[in-house]
């Protein structure tokens, strides 16, 4: 992905010069050079400045800015600016304005305010992308394209309603097929004409918080809206590629954002990019998991860290400053998990409006004599020293966790059995079991390639398509270890229940069937008592939220419930299937249980951690390039820490030689190259 003109980890971020006079821009460029900034993202929200009416474009100011930055040794990631339409467009063409969940027509304002089904919006956005790509094709400063900004939200207008009907006709072909898929005989919801179908919002099927009376239509509307937004992006993508076919095109994702199926989008991005904004109390494992998810969208390809803050957000309940060293450490955490860029929002703090208190490399003080600037400049110097050593390197893992937006939508729309159904929480619980033991794990889609993995974990695999079930059987029969959990194998892709007993098409490979599901408030717990010790699984573990009441159909019972009327029924099972094994975890287990489970399975597959031991709070990750191994050690604790090493290493930033041991200061990050000569 890295352009030959800048063969290093790109360092920079969003810059909004339209908010500043020329003398401030000149001073900013001077400070960018001091900080080691070498790529700036321009034009993210400048549509109104470039296109002042239907047909007039004024981009001379952008010409001058790109040229001036290039003279200073700073390249451009050029945005299309289409993340918010101009006021004149909303006034002249009100169809571009969205209708919200409650059926209210939006007025001009905010962002994410353009209807993705509006032909006018799509036409003007495509024209803007084409205008810019034509104007700057061949310009040596422009290294990449950034389409729109943080796509998201849903629209419920009449244009979307009609487009939804057309989308459904293409998907189902006939109303009979649609009625069957949605089980519309329930509550007499059968449709006889396509125009009887309406959008599922507060005026029809849904209620605030994601509750719905018809899961099928709500699930399809989420798929549809993700597709509509993708169509908007792709129109701009095609326009850009007409003029600059060799430059990478991306748009910035938002991690585990609920509203878009990023796996469906990933093939249409040349490189994935995303915006990372953890809070002060966000577990480091959750941030690491999201980095790995972004890397997994294109199954291992390095990604761009498009945005983070050098100091603080402005939109969280408590916008804490990043403590000294944390910005550097979190930047290297992104690199450790596959980022080939370190970029910020924003480079200079805005003087007004909603993001004026969002952090920036250049604070409101306006000079370089600040803690944040000093830390930013120090990081820029380190990235310069690293050069291209790490760029285009990859991660390697023998275990994978499945993640699927459709399954998440379906599970969380399920109308019971509990408000505690939380797909991302369950995925993170299993990811953390690997993270805490310093064992690399990839995050992949059920339809991606599993052939390189010995272990596949599928937390809360509520939706199971028949083809996915066949893949699970094949993977396990050939010697793989497969793990899934409660609330799995319940429904198909239309949210119709797999009849005959849960977990539906996974029943054979798991060797169990589920009779009932108990759901209790978080304060009520049960205990999983190990009756067949396997590996590190022993003793008893706390479990909560949902409790599957299941029966073995050949699976070994590893642990049973201790309490309630289902005491003695299985809660952890293991089924030998072909050359492999399939595990079922029938409740939400405490972290120690998952730690011991993953330790048991990885030891059985001879998978070793990246480091033999490390202090609590230390993260280990690895990237590999041309046969060289690069070990990242990150100390997320607020005290000094240590880690034991598997051999001898050289610190790429300090040139220190380390033998079997490494010390880390608080909030420290070290990048170590494995030495092959002992």
């Amino acid at each position: 992905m890295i352009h030959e003109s800048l063969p290093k980890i790109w360092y920079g971020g969003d810059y909004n010069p339209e908010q500043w006079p020329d003398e401030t821009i000149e001073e900013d460029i001077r400070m960018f050079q001091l900080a080691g900034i070498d790529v700036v993202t321009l034009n993210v929200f400048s549509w109104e400045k470039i296109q002042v009416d239907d047909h007039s474009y004024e981009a001379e100011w952008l010409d001058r800015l790109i040229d001036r930055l290039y003279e200073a040794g700073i390249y451009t990631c050029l945005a299309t600016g289409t993340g918010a339409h101009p006021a004149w467009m909303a006034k002249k063409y009100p169809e571009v304005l969205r209708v919200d969940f409650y059926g209210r027509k939006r007025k001009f304002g905010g962002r994410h305010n353009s209807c993705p089904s509006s032909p006018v919006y799509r036409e003007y956005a495509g024209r803007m992308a084409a205008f810019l790509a034509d104007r700057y094709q061949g310009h040596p400063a422009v290294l990449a394209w950034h389409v729109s900004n943080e796509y998201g939200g849903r629209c419920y207008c009449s244009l979307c309603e009609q487009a939804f009907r057309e989308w459904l006709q293409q998907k189902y072909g006939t109303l009979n097929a649609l009625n069957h898929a949605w089980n519309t005989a329930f509550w007499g919801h059968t449709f006889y004409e396509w125009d009887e179908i309406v959008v599922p919002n507060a005026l029809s099927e849904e209620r605030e918080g994601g509750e719905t009376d018809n899961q099928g239509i709500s699930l399809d509307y989420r798929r549809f809206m993700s597709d509509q937004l993708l169509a908007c992006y792709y129109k701009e993508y095609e326009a850009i590629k007409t003029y600059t076919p060799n430059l990478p095109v991306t748009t910035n994702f938002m991690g585990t954002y609920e509203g878009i199926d990023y796996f469906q989008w990933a093939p249409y991005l040349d490189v994935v990019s995303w915006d990372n904004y953890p809070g002060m109390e966000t577990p480091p494992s959750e941030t690491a998991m999201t980095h790995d998810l972004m890397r997994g969208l294109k199954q291992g390809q390095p990604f761009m860290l498009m945005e983070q803050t050098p100091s603080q957000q402005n939109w969280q309940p408590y916008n804490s400053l990043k403590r000294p060293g944390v910005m550097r450490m979190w930047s290297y955490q992104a690199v450790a998990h596959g980022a080939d860029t370190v970029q910020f929002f924003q480079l200079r703090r805005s003087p007004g409006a909603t993001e004026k208190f969002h952090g920036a490399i250049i604070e409101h003080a306006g000079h370089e004599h600040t803690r944040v600037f000093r830390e930013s400049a120090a990081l820029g110097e380190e990235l310069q020293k690293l050069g291209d050593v790490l760029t285009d390197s990859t991660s390697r893992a023998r275990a994978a966790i499945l993640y699927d937006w459709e399954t998440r939508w379906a599970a969380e729309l399920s109308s019971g059995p509990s408000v505690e159904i939380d797909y991302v929480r369950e995925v993170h619980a299993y990811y953390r079991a690997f993270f805490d033991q310093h064992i690399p794990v990839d995050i992949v889609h059920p339809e991606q390639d599993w052939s390189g993995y010995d272990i596949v974990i599928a937390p809360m695999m509520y939706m199971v398509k028949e083809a996915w079930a066949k893949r699970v059987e094949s993977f396990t029969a050939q010697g793989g270890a497969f793990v899934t959990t409660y609330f799995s194998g319940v429904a198909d892709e239309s949210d119709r229940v797999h009849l005959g007993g849960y977990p539906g098409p996974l029943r054979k490979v798991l060797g169990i069937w589920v009779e009932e599901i108990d759901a209790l408030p978080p304060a009520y717990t049960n205990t999983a008592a190990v009756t067949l010790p396997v590996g590190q699984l022993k003793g008893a573990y706390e479990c909560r939220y949902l409790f599957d009441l299941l029966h073995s159909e050949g699976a070994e019972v590893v642990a049973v419930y201790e309490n309630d009327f289902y005491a003695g029924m299985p809660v952890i099972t293991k089924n030998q299937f072909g050359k492999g094994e399939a595990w079922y975890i029938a409740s939400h287990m405490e972290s120690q249980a998952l730690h011991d489970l993953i330790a048991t399975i990885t030891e059985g597959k001879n998978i070793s951690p990246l480091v033999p031991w490390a202090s609590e709070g230390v993260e280990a990750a690895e990237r590999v390039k041309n046969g060289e191994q690069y070990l990242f050690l990150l100390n997320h604790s607020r005290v000094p820490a240590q880690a034991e090493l598997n051999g001898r290493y050289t610190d790429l930033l300090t040139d220190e030689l380390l033998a079997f041991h490494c010390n880390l200061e608080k909030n420290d990050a070290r990048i170590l190259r494995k030495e092959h000569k002992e």
Side-chain angles (χ1 to χ4, degrees):
M1 191 281 297
I2 295 301
H3 196 281
E4 61 183 9
S5 298
L6 191 61
K8 64 177 287 291
I9 295 172
W10 295 359
Y11 189 50
D14 281 22
Y15 184 46
N16 302 291
E18 61 273 15
Q19 301 179 30
W20 302 102
D22 289 345
E23 57 269 22
T24 301
I25 294 172
E26 281 300 315
E27 178 65 0
D28 289 347
I29 292 173
R30 180 188 72 82
M31 285 192 281
F32 293 166
Q33 291 175 304
L34 286 177
I37 299 296
D38 44 40
V39 176
V40 299
T41 301
L42 297 176
N43 196 50
V44 176
F45 289 109
S46 306
W47 193 347
E48 54 79 27
K49 188 172 177 65
I50 292 177
Q51 188 176 9
V52 296
D53 59 34
D54 280 42
H55 305 290
S56 302
Y57 295 88
E58 299 176 1
E60 290 76 12
W61 65 273
L62 188 56
D63 299 342
R64 293 192 297 271
L65 182 62
I66 292 174
D67 291 342
R68 177 67 188 92
L69 288 164
Y70 187 57
E71 291 170 5
I74 301 168
Y75 293 88
T76 294
C77 174
L78 190 56
T80 59
T82 53
H85 54 247
W88 63 261
M89 189 180 297
K91 179 180 178 181
K92 186 170 183 178
Y93 304 104
E95 73 160 52
V96 304
L97 295 165
R98 290 185 180 182
V99 169
D100 72 10
F101 176 74
Y102 300 99
R104 301 172 301 197
K105 182 75 169 178
R106 288 282 306 272
K107 292 189 176 183
F108 177 75
R111 58 176 187 162
H112 295 319
N113 57 353
S114 304
C115 169
S117 303
S118 164
V120 170
Y121 171 75
R122 290 193 187 186
E123 178 64 23
Y124 278 109
R127 286 186 200 172
M128 173 56 71
F131 167 77
L132 292 169
D134 183 21
R135 191 177 188 91
Y136 297 108
Q137 61 177 314
H139 198 299
V142 178
L143 301 187
W145 288 94
H146 176 342
V147 173
S148 190
N149 186 71
E150 293 184 336
Y151 282 97
R154 299 186 181 104
C155 179
Y156 299 88
C157 73
S158 59
L159 290 172
C160 287
E161 192 165 69
Q162 180 57 37
F164 183 45
R165 293 165 182 158
E166 294 168 1
W167 184 91
L168 292 170
Q169 284 182 280
Q170 184 173 6
K171 177 176 181 177
Y172 292 105
T174 68
L175 280 170
N176 284 340
L178 179 145
N179 283 318
H180 174 77
W182 290 357
N183 194 37
T184 55
F186 180 78
W187 281 3
H189 275 39
T190 302
F191 296 105
Y192 298 95
E193 301 288 345
W194 291 102
D195 63 6
E196 293 169 358
I197 299 171
V198 298
V199 294
N201 64 357
L203 301 177
S204 57
E205 300 288 359
E206 290 197 30
R207 293 173 294 283
E208 192 170 6
E211 294 184 37
T212 178
D213 292 327
N214 188 315
Q215 285 73 38
I217 188 171
S218 293
L219 178 58
D220 270 341
Y221 202 73
R222 281 151 178 75
R223 291 168 170 144
F224 160 75
M225 193 52 62
S226 180
D227 285 354
Q228 288 297 93
L229 290 166
L230 175 57
C232 292
Y233 161 82
Y234 193 66
K235 186 173 183 66
E236 295 188 47
Y237 177 93
E238 285 189 306
I240 291 167
K241 285 297 186 180
T242 299
Y243 298 97
T244 58
N246 298 320
L247 291 184
V249 180
T250 189
T251 186
N252 47 337
F253 288 163
M254 296 178 284
T256 59
Y257 170 67
E258 176 269 344
I260 291 177
D261 185 343
Y262 288 150
F263 276 110
Q264 295 297 322
W265 281 52
Y268 304 99
L269 277 67
D270 297 322
V271 58
V272 167
S273 66
W274 86 285
D275 302 342
N276 180 36
Y277 290 109
M280 187 176 184
E281 297 182 347
T282 302
S285 55
E286 185 176 318
T287 306
M289 178 190 77
T290 314
H291 285 310
D292 285 347
L293 174 59
M294 295 297 99
R295 187 183 74 242
L297 294 177
K298 294 182 83 69
Q299 201 147 13
Q301 179 180 305
F303 60 89
M304 297 176 70
L305 176 62
M306 183 65 78
E307 290 185 22
Q308 62 173 341
T309 177
S311 55
Q312 64 189 150
Q313 282 84 247
N314 74 310
W315 42 266
Q316 294 180 341
Y318 306 99
N319 294 290
S320 307
L321 293 172
K322 287 183 178 176
R323 271 44 190 171
V326 170
M327 180 274 290
R328 173 182 180 271
M329 178 182 62
W330 286 1
S331 296
Y332 282 131
Q333 185 187 37
V335 175
H337 289 272
D340 273 358
T341 71
V342 174
Q343 295 166 279
F344 299 96
F345 180 84
Q346 49 194 329
L347 297 186
R348 176 184 271 273
R349 281 206 191 206
S350 299
T354 190
E355 290 180 320
K356 62 181 177 294
F357 291 126
H358 194 292
I361 289 180
I362 302 173
E363 299 279 6
H364 284 145
H367 53 66
E368 65 267 36
H369 308 296
T370 65
R371 176 184 67 89
V372 172
F373 189 90
R374 286 192 296 270
E375 288 193 32
S376 300
L379 177 58
E381 186 175 350
E382 288 183 346
L383 294 176
Q384 191 66 44
K385 180 176 181 178
L386 286 173
D388 66 351
V389 170
L390 297 169
T391 56
D392 292 322
S393 60
T394 58
S395 300
R396 56 182 182 175
R398 292 170 57 193
I401 296 176
L402 301 186
Y403 190 102
D404 177 51
W405 264 270
E406 290 183 283
T407 298
R408 176 184 177 182
W409 291 333
E412 294 178 359
L413 285 167
S414 65
S415 186
S418 172
V419 297
E420 290 295 337
I421 291 171
D422 187 329
Y423 180 79
V424 176
R425 178 179 63 194
E426 200 67 22
V427 171
H428 176 237
Y430 282 83
Y431 180 91
R432 186 169 184 171
F434 286 94
F435 178 91
D436 288 345
Q437 297 177 77
H438 314 299
I439 298 173
V441 59
D442 289 339
I443 300 182
V444 300
H445 189 268
E447 294 174 3
Q448 286 180 322
D449 182 14
W450 304 358
S451 61
Y453 301 112
D454 297 305
I455 302 168
V456 169
I457 316 286
M460 201 181 285
M461 202 175 185
Y462 171 84
M463 174 192 292
V464 175
K465 303 176 183 180
E466 292 290 342
W468 296 2
K470 296 298 182 185
R471 298 194 75 194
V472 171
E473 289 185 4
S474 176
F475 170 80
T476 309
Q478 293 174 33
F482 175 74
V483 181
T484 193
T485 74
Y486 68 98
F487 216 46
S488 290
V490 176
D492 65 12
E493 58 264 43
S494 297
D495 201 42
R496 287 182 62 95
V497 169
H498 290 296
L499 301 179
Y502 321 133
L506 297 177
R507 184 170 167 176
K508 178 181 176 183
V509 71
L510 292 167
I512 61 159
W513 73 278
V514 176
E515 180 180 354
E516 296 181 273
I517 303 172
D518 194 16
L520 298 175
Y524 293 82
T525 62
N526 207 315
T527 304
V530 175
T531 56
L532 179 68
V534 180
Q536 294 193 27
L537 285 166
K538 55 186 179 296
Y541 304 101
E542 189 175 78
C543 51
R544 56 168 34 91
Y545 303 140
L546 266 68
F547 310 85
D548 282 350
L549 279 59
L550 64 90
H551 305 272
S552 171
E553 293 182 316
E556 294 180 314
V557 178
V558 176
V560 299
Y561 293 113
E562 279 196 328
N563 305 310
D564 220 317
F565 71 92
Y566 39 90
M569 294 189 75
V571 62
I572 300 177
T573 62
K574 176 187 176 185
N575 190 46
Q576 192 70 32
F577 189 83
K579 297 178 181 179
E581 61 194 46
W583 295 73
Y584 190 77
I585 316 302
S587 184
H588 177 86
M589 308 298 294
E590 64 167 284
S591 60
Q592 187 62 51
L594 300 188
H595 179 284
D596 293 348
L597 173 69
I598 297 306
T600 297
I601 297 173
T602 54
E603 287 172 4
K605 295 296 184 182
N606 296 314
I607 298 175
S608 301
L610 294 174
V611 293
W613 173 87
S615 303
E616 185 176 357
V618 172
E619 174 185 356
E622 182 188 63
R623 292 182 72 168
V624 178
K625 180 179 179 180
N626 298 329
E628 297 286 355
Q629 299 167 247
Y630 300 98
L631 176 67
F632 291 75
L633 295 176
L634 308 154
N635 182 16
H636 296 280
S637 69
R638 297 183 183 179
V639 296
Q642 298 82 39
E644 301 301 324
L645 305 175
N646 288 312
R648 302 178 187 277
Y649 290 79
T650 298
D651 190 311
L652 294 185
L653 298 175
T654 66
D655 299 320
E656 179 184 3
L657 296 174
L658 302 170
F660 303 98
H661 184 84
C662 179
N663 293 317
L664 296 104
E665 298 300 322
K666 68 176 182 178
N667 300 330
D668 198 5
R670 304 193 73 167
I671 308 173
L672 311 179
R673 183 185 64 234
K674 181 73 179 287
E675 296 302 327
H676 300 288
K677 294 181 180 179
E678 297 294 335

